[in-house]
Amino acid sequence: MPFNGEKHCVGEDQPSDSDSSRFSESMASLSDCECSRQSFTSDSSSKSSSPASTSPPRVVTFDEVMAATRNLSNMTLAHEIAVNENFQLKQDALPESSLAGRVRHIVHQAFWDVLESELNAEPPEYEHAIKLFEEIREILLSFLTPGGNRLRNQICEVLDTDLIRQQAEHSTVDIQGLSNYVISTMGKLCAPVRDDDIRELKATGNVVEVLRQIFHVLDLMKMDMVNFTIRSLRPYLQRQLVDYERTKFQEILEETPKKRIQLYMKSLLCLPSPQKCMPPVPGGLTVIQQELEVLGCQYANIVNLNKQVYGPFYANILRKLLFGVEALRKAEASSSTN
């Protein structure tokens, strides 16, 4: 939809049992129209990293941070779907009194006012209307499975933008007839809970208002489709949740292992005696806990030995850098005199 500024957010308003039942029956009947809903999937990515070493830690890139964030978001979403039976997505409309809400209303209203003026002009200008029907066609096709050839071919034939553009050039295009076909097709694809919306569309006389409300109902149908798919996926997610969360959590931990190893090594240097009291191993590194503790003890011993052996040497260098050679000579002469 043009100027479509709605956002999607998580809600817990579960449809009634009767609506859910009617929705399931409608989904089964859609096989007669050779159409069904899209699958609701989410992509995730993971990266591998090299084993721990004493070399300086690799800089964490923005892409790696975003990859870890996506993994965490996907894991949180899957967990919520599996354990919360009331989980669903819904549209979050901006408050009309807010600045963003007022701006969106003004922009939307301006678009539809321009469209109305173009259709009422002499001769009418149809280019914007044709683009709207092209977008409507793609949305309707997105509700179909690859096997829905009959309805798919019908939609492509009726909403053929090249043909509509040719008709517009000869002033023979029927905008109201195209809108009626769209509404009829939406009635075949929508959930029963949208029957009242479809009836209201059929009762609307103004062509521009019909197109405006068509996009509104299409947005609702998209959300219905997503929520139905979520309910269908819930049993599968419940069976696979433990393995899925374990895998995803490991992927998150593997995004920046060198950073966690570096922090672990630093914590060792803060302890008076690392051999007697080892700090806890960071999450995701327990599989190499024994090796990490041995390496950590050796690292702490080397650092402490260097401090004891080279500490006085570096202390003199630092004093010279900080206070200057002449100041040090005067201090030494003063101490020898005393």
Side-chain angles (χ1 to χ4, degrees):
M1 176 179 178
F3 307 107
N4 187 7
E6 285 77 6
K7 301 179 181 177
H8 296 165
C9 69
V10 175
E12 295 193 2
D13 297 328
Q14 180 74 1
S16 64
D17 294 339
S18 60
D19 285 343
S20 299
S21 175
R22 294 186 64 202
F23 200 141
S24 300
E25 293 172 0
S26 174
M27 292 299 296
S29 64
L30 286 182
S31 59
D32 297 333
C33 299
E34 298 177 334
C35 61
S36 64
R37 310 302 190 186
Q38 289 183 152
S39 296
F40 179 71
T41 61
S42 59
D43 297 330
S44 60
S45 60
S46 61
K47 299 180 183 293
S48 59
S49 54
S50 58
S53 68
T54 57
S55 60
R58 177 174 54 86
V59 176
V60 180
T61 66
F62 177 77
D63 289 340
E64 289 173 330
V65 174
M66 293 306 298
T69 303
R70 284 193 296 269
N71 279 332
L72 182 59
S73 299
N74 291 338
M75 184 177 68
T76 303
L77 179 62
H79 180 86
E80 187 69 17
I81 292 174
V83 302
N84 184 3
E85 294 184 355
N86 294 323
F87 177 89
Q88 67 172 359
L89 300 180
K90 65 179 182 180
Q91 288 184 328
D92 182 23
L94 294 173
E96 292 296 334
S97 58
S98 66
L99 176 61
R102 293 197 299 270
V103 170
R104 185 188 64 180
H105 174 75
I106 292 172
V107 173
H108 284 201
Q109 189 61 47
F111 173 84
W112 295 112
D113 288 345
V114 170
L115 177 64
E116 186 171 20
S117 65
E118 290 179 347
L119 294 180
N120 292 332
E122 290 295 339
E125 174 59 50
Y126 293 107
E127 187 58 33
H128 280 116
I130 293 173
K131 291 181 179 179
L132 292 182
F133 281 111
E134 183 177 11
E135 186 173 350
I136 291 172
R137 180 192 64 191
E138 297 305 315
I139 296 175
L140 292 176
L141 292 176
S142 71
F143 293 148
L144 308 179
T145 63
N149 294 326
R150 185 178 63 182
L151 190 56
R152 181 182 302 274
N153 293 337
Q154 185 185 78
I155 292 174
C156 292
E157 180 180 348
V158 176
L159 299 180
D160 184 346
T161 53
D162 292 334
L163 177 60
I164 297 174
R165 195 168 277 109
Q166 291 177 11
Q167 293 173 344
E169 292 175 355
H170 296 85
S171 300
T172 59
V173 64
D174 184 5
I175 299 296
Q176 185 63 58
L178 293 174
S179 300
N180 291 338
Y181 170 77
V182 169
I183 295 172
S184 175
T185 305
M186 290 168 62
K188 299 176 183 178
L189 300 175
C190 73
V193 71
R194 301 300 167 202
D195 288 347
D196 291 340
D197 296 316
I198 298 298
R199 281 192 288 269
E200 290 180 7
L201 283 175
K202 293 179 179 179
T204 304
N206 184 279
V207 174
V208 174
E209 185 61 25
V210 167
L211 290 173
R212 185 174 190 167
Q213 293 305 317
I214 281 175
F215 277 101
H216 172 68
V217 178
L218 285 174
D219 284 341
L220 296 177
M221 290 173 59
K222 292 178 186 178
M223 201 57 55
D224 294 338
M225 176 188 66
V226 170
N227 287 322
F228 178 78
T229 308
I230 287 175
R231 291 194 294 272
S232 301
L233 286 175
R234 182 172 289 116
Y236 173 79
L237 286 176
Q238 288 172 340
R239 293 192 299 268
Q240 305 293 330
L241 183 62
V242 175
D243 291 337
Y244 175 81
E245 289 188 344
R246 182 187 295 114
T247 301
K248 280 297 172 189
F249 189 67
Q250 188 62 37
E251 290 177 359
I252 294 170
L253 294 176
E254 288 175 355
E255 295 298 335
T256 55
K258 285 188 175 181
K259 186 69 175 179
R260 295 195 306 278
I261 292 175
Q262 180 192 30
L263 295 176
Y264 178 75
M265 294 300 181
K266 285 184 177 180
S267 66
L268 284 172
L269 300 180
C270 299
L271 299 176
S273 179
Q275 293 85 348
K276 296 180 180 180
C277 181
M278 298 295 294
V281 176
L285 301 177
T286 54
V287 292
I288 58 170
Q289 178 174 353
Q290 184 177 357
E291 294 83 354
L292 192 59
E293 289 179 348
V294 173
L295 181 62
C297 288
Q298 294 174 351
Y299 171 72
N301 290 337
I302 292 174
V303 173
N304 291 329
L305 178 62
N306 285 340
K307 288 168 61 178
Q308 295 175 4
V309 174
Y310 298 104
F313 174 74
Y314 287 118
N316 289 331
I317 295 176
L318 291 174
R319 279 196 294 269
K320 291 179 181 179
L321 291 174
L322 294 174
F323 304 109
V325 178
E326 293 297 328
L328 290 177
R329 288 177 179 176
K330 291 180 180 180
E332 292 175 356
S334 175
S335 60
S336 61
T337 303
N338 296 332

